[in-house]
Amino acid sequence: MEFIKVTENKEPYVALIELNRPKELNALNRQLMEEVRDALQQLDKNDAVRVIIITGNEQAFAAGADIKQMADKTAIDMLMIDQFSTWDQIRKTKKPIIAAVSGFALGGGCEFAMTCDMIIASETAKFGQPEIKIGTIPGAGGTQRLTKAIGKAKAMELILTGRFLSAEEAHFYGLVNKVVPKEMYLYEALQLAKEIAQLSPVAVQLAKESINRSFETHLDEGLTLERKNFYLTFASEDQKEGMKAFVEKRNPDFKGK
Ligand code: DAK
C-alpha cells in the first residue's frame, strides 16, 4: 500500500485507514482509491474487525480527486477508465465506516466522506463541492448525497458557487455527526467506533443496509427490506444473547453469529 496506511487493531474490533498523500492534500488518485477499495474488502471479511474509521491528516481529509490525473482526459477516456466501479465497490462495504475529517474535504473528498456512514469533524474541517470552479460538476454522488444531507437550497448554493461549508455549518445542516476541537477528532471517532463495536455485528450490518436503502428506494420497498432484516436478526445468536442478557440484567456478549 503506497498511499494509505491500514491498522487492523487500532482498538479491539476497530480498524483505521489513513489516507497518506500529505503533500497533495490527500488528492484521491486512482491508485489511492483502489488501495482503499482493496483494504475495505479485506476488512469486511475479517471477523476481528467490526467498525472501520477512515481519516486523513489535520490539514486535509482529501482535497478532491486528483486534478492533475484528470486534467487532459477525454469523456471517452473517463468512461473507459471507469473509476466508478471502484467507488461502487467502496459503497458496498457492509461494516459501518466513520469518516474522521479535519481540514479540507472537497470535491471527491467531500463525496468520499459522505459515502461513509457517519462523519466526525474537527472544528477546522471545510466541506465543499468546488468542481464548478474548474469547469465540471460533482461526479461521485455529490449532487445526490449533499442534497439529501443538507437540503436543496444549501446544496444548490454550495454546488453552484463552489463555496465551502465550515464544520460548524456542516453540523447545523446535518452533514456531520459531531464537531470537536482538532486534537480530538480521531479520538471522538474511535469512541463512536468502540461503542458500535460492542454491539451485535449482525444487527449493525443489517441496520446499515436498511438505512442506506432509504436513499435508494421508495418507502414501501425500504420498509419491506427493513422488515426482512428485522426478522433475520431473530435467526442470530446475538439477538438471543442480547434479549436474554437484558432479562438477566447483565451485559450481553455478542459473537457476530
Ligand atoms: N488534485 C491534485 N492536486 C491537488 C489537489 C487536487 N484536487 N488539491 C491540492 N493539490 C495539490 C496542489 O496542486 C499542491 O501541489 P504542488 O503544487 O505543491 O505540487 C498541493 O496539493 C498543496 O495545495 P495548494 O498549494 O493549492 O494548497 P493551498 O493551501 O493554497 O490550497 C486548496 C488548498 C484545497 C484550497 C487548494 O489546493 C484547492 O483548491 N485544491 C483543489 C480543490 C478542488 O477543486 N477539488 C475538487 C477536484 S474535482 C470521479 C470521482 C470523483 C471525482 C470525479 C470523478 N469518478 C469516480 C469518475 C471528483 C472530482 C473532484 O474532486
Side-chain angles (χ1 to χ4, degrees), residues 42-63:
Q42 289 302 317
L43 296 171
D44 228 11
K45 282 189 234 147
N46 182 343
D47 287 343
V49 173
R50 293 183 176 179
V51 183
I52 300 157
I53 297 176
I54 299 182
T55 197
N57 54 50
E58 262 190 26
Q59 211 193 347
F61 178 73

Side-chain angles (χ1 to χ4, degrees), residues 1-63:
M1 299 276 180
E2 186 182 348
F3 296 125
I4 66 171
K5 188 174 159 222
V6 182
T7 311
E8 265 181 31
N9 247 305
K10 184 70 186 168
E11 294 280 347
Y13 293 121
V14 180
L16 178 69
I17 299 179
E18 291 165 274
L19 311 181
N20 191 22
R21 280 190 88 197
K23 282 201 210 102
E24 293 83 7
L25 302 179
N26 289 333
L28 306 168
N29 64 13
R30 288 202 298 279
Q31 185 184 329
L32 185 154
M33 291 311 285
E34 285 164 11
E35 289 181 9
V36 170
R37 185 231 12 234
D38 293 347
L40 287 173
Q41 288 182 340
Q42 289 302 317
L43 296 171
D44 228 11
K45 282 189 234 147
N46 182 343
D47 287 343
V49 173
R50 293 183 176 179
V51 183
I52 300 157
I53 297 176
I54 299 182
T55 197
N57 54 50
E58 262 190 26
Q59 211 193 347
F61 178 73

Side-chain angles (χ1 to χ4, degrees), residues 206-216 225:
L206 292 173
K208 168 174 167 165
E209 184 196 15
S210 303
I211 294 166
N212 279 340
R213 191 59 65 87
S214 77
F215 291 103
E216 293 153 12
L225 178 88

Side-chain angles (χ1 to χ4, degrees), residues 152-170:
K152 177 186 162 187
K154 204 67 193 170
M156 277 285 182
E157 179 189 323
L158 291 186
I159 293 173
L160 300 194
T161 64
R163 284 182 193 166
F164 297 165
L165 207 57
S166 69
E168 201 186 314
E169 288 172 302

Side-chain angles (χ1 to χ4, degrees), residues 23-25 27 63-68 84 87 104 106-108 130-131 140:
K23 282 201 210 102
E24 293 83 7
L25 302 179
D66 191 325
I67 300 172
K68 292 167 195 166
F84 289 117
W87 285 71
F104 299 110
L106 304 177
E131 289 89 340

Side-chain angles (χ1 to χ4, degrees), residues 74 86 94 106 122 133 137 139 148 186 196-197 205 228 232 238-239:
T74 66
T86 308
K94 296 191 184 88
L106 304 177
S122 121
K133 291 190 168 170
I137 68 168
K148 289 202 165 103
L186 191 53
I196 297 166
Q205 180 181 316
K228 204 171 66 96
L232 196 52
D238 282 352
Q239 174 270 335

